[in-house]
Amino acid sequence: MFKDLDPILHSQLRLAVISLLLSVKEAEFTFLKEKTNATAGNLSVQIQKLKDAGYIDVIKQFKDNYPQTICKITPAGVKAFEQYVKNLQAYLK
Amino acid sequence: MEEKNLSEQESLQIIQQMINTAKQEQKDDGVGWIIWGWLLFFASIFTWLNIQYHWFKDIALFWNVFGICVALYWIYRIIIYARGRSREKVKTYTADLFAKLNSGFFIFLLLIIFSMNIPVRGVPPAKGFMLLTGLYGFWILVYGTALNFKPSIVCAYITWAIAFAGLFIYKIDPTEGGEFKLVMLVHALAVLVGYIIPGHLANKEFKKLHRKDKQSV
C-alpha cells in the first residue's frame, strides 16, 4: 500500500536543502543558496518551514560583524528523510 | 530552483544531485599534502647534500629550518582560528575527522622527534626517521580511506614498506653518520611516494571535478 509522501519534504527546494544537510555536519545559508540556485527570499521561507517542522536547526549569529545563518539537520529530519525515501521507493517499485 | 509539483523520479533526481554536490565538498584539493611533502622532501635532500658536501657543521640545520617553517605555519593557523576567520561555508564530517586526526598526528610526530633528541638513551635519529615514515603511512591510509582515494591507500602501504626496509639501512653502511645519510634519501623517497605523488593526483582530480561542476551549472 502506498503511503503519502511527507508534504514538508515533497517540495523541490526543501528536499534539496534536506538532501544537502544530510551529507554535511552543518552549512551556512550562503552555501545552501549557492548549491540550490534559489533566491534568498524563497530559501528563507523554505528553511523556516523545515525549522517549524523540527527537521532542521537554525543558528543565527554574527561573524566578523556580519550576520551568519547556520543550518543543520536534526535527528527528526534524518528520520523523516529516511521515511520519505522509503515511501518513494514503494512508489517506484 | 522554482517550486512545482514533483514526480517521484524528480524527487530521486534532486536527492541524488544534492548528495553528489555535498560529496564534492568532502574532496581534498591535495594542496596540504603537496606543501608538506615538498617541505619534507627538500629538508631530507638538503640534509643529505649538507652531509655529503660538508656545507655546514650542524647536520640538522635544514631540519631546524623546516621546524621553524612548521612552527610559523601553526602560529598562523592558531591566529586564524582564534580570530574566527575560517572562510568555510560548510562543515563536513570528514573535515572534522581530519582536524582531530591532524592534532593526533602532530602530537605523535612531536613525541617521536622529542625521543630522537634525548641524549644518550634516545631513539637513534636514523631509526626515528623510519618511525616518522611509518606515522606518515598511517595518516595517508586514514585520509585515503575517508576520502575513498585509492592512490593514497596504495601509497600508504608502499610508505610502510619503505619504512620497514629503512630500518635495515645500517647493513649497507654500518657507520652512524653513513646510516643517517642514507636514511635521508630513503625518507625523501617515502615522502615522494606517500605525500607528493598522491597529493598531485588528488589536486588533479579535484580540479577536474570542479571543472565538471562549473560546466554543469
Side-chain angles (χ1 to χ4, degrees):
Chain A
M1 194 175 141
F2 293 131
K3 285 182 182 173
D4 282 341
L5 292 171
D6 185 341
I8 296 288
L9 293 183
H10 197 60
S11 131
Q12 203 167 2
L13 188 48
R14 289 195 293 271
L15 185 60
V17 169
I18 279 285
S19 305
L20 276 172
L21 291 177
L22 190 81
S23 321
V24 300
K25 198 177 175 192
E26 57 184 45
E28 270 187 35
F29 180 85
T30 46
F31 172 82
L32 296 173
K33 185 173 165 281
E34 189 184 304
K35 298 298 174 188
T36 57
N37 287 324
T39 61
N42 190 15
L43 185 60
S44 289
V45 171
Q46 305 312 327
I47 281 178
Q48 190 57 45
K49 283 185 184 171
L50 287 169
K51 189 192 169 197
D52 292 343
Y55 291 173
I56 64 169
D57 276 333
V58 179
I59 303 151
K60 291 188 186 233
Q61 60 187 32
F62 279 88
K63 187 180 170 188
D64 290 342
N65 294 325
Y66 287 98
Q68 185 190 35
T69 304
I70 295 169
C71 304
K72 53 176 149 182
I73 197 164
T74 62
V78 174
K79 211 173 162 189
F81 181 82
E82 283 170 352
Q83 190 59 51
Y84 179 83
V85 172
K86 223 172 165 182
N87 293 343
L88 206 59
Q89 280 170 338
Y91 274 101
L92 292 166
K93 266 179 194 169
Chain B
M1 200 170 265
E2 285 168 24
E3 286 304 299
K4 60 171 188 175
N5 281 333
L6 281 178
S7 71
E8 290 76 24
Q9 287 289 356
E10 283 170 330
S11 292
L12 269 187
Q13 218 176 339
I14 290 171
I15 294 168
Q16 200 178 11
Q17 192 189 341
M18 289 300 128
I19 289 176
N20 280 339
T21 304
K23 255 189 191 172
Q24 286 186 15
E25 295 302 314
Q26 325 259 357
K27 293 278 175 197
D28 192 278
D29 61 6
V31 172
W33 304 1
I34 294 169
I35 296 171
W36 174 247
W38 281 115
L39 276 173
L40 284 168
F41 183 83
F42 283 122
S44 305
I45 292 295
F46 279 113
T47 301
W48 183 85
L49 288 168
N50 188 21
I51 300 168
Q52 179 74 14
Y53 298 107
H54 311 288
W55 287 349
F56 303 100
K57 261 188 181 176
D58 180 8
I59 60 163
L61 178 78
F62 289 101
W63 284 111
N64 293 337
V65 172
F66 169 81
I68 292 166
C69 290
V70 174
L72 288 174
Y73 170 75
W74 275 104
I75 291 167
Y76 165 77
R77 286 293 301 264
I78 289 165
I79 292 169
I80 293 285
Y81 181 78
R83 288 187 175 175
R85 278 198 191 160
S86 169
R87 296 180 71 85
E88 277 142 26
K89 289 179 184 173
V90 61
K91 266 191 193 168
T92 61
Y93 291 103
T94 37
D96 239 30
L97 167 77
F98 289 164
K100 288 185 176 73
L101 181 72
N102 284 348
S103 307
F105 173 84
F106 280 104
I107 290 168
F108 199 25
L109 188 93
L110 287 175
L111 190 74
I112 297 175
I113 293 169
F114 183 73
S115 70
M116 284 156 66
N117 285 287
I118 297 172
V120 190
R121 290 215 168 176
V123 174
K127 298 289 185 282
F129 269 95
M130 291 304 101
L131 291 179
L132 289 172
T133 307
L135 179 63
Y136 304 156
F138 177 71
W139 196 28
I140 297 159
L141 183 76
V142 178
Y143 250 90
T145 308
L147 296 173
N148 196 20
F149 187 59
K150 279 189 185 141
S152 282
I153 298 171
V154 173
C155 288
Y157 287 103
I158 301 174
T159 306
W160 278 325
I162 294 171
F164 182 74
L167 292 173
F168 303 97
I169 282 288
Y170 70 92
K171 291 195 173 179
I172 299 171
D173 191 338
T175 64
E176 203 178 321
E179 184 191 8
F180 183 73
K181 201 171 83 176
L182 282 174
V183 158
M184 286 298 100
L185 290 181
V186 174
H187 185 257
L189 174 70
V191 164
L192 186 73
V193 173
Y195 289 124
I196 299 171
I197 295 172
H200 281 285
L201 288 174
N203 189 257
K204 204 175 156 190
E205 197 173 286
F206 184 82
K207 282 181 180 164
K208 207 167 116 186
L209 256 173
H210 274 251
R211 261 201 306 273
K212 266 189 197 170
D213 192 30
K214 273 184 187 170
Q215 280 166 1
S216 66
V217 170

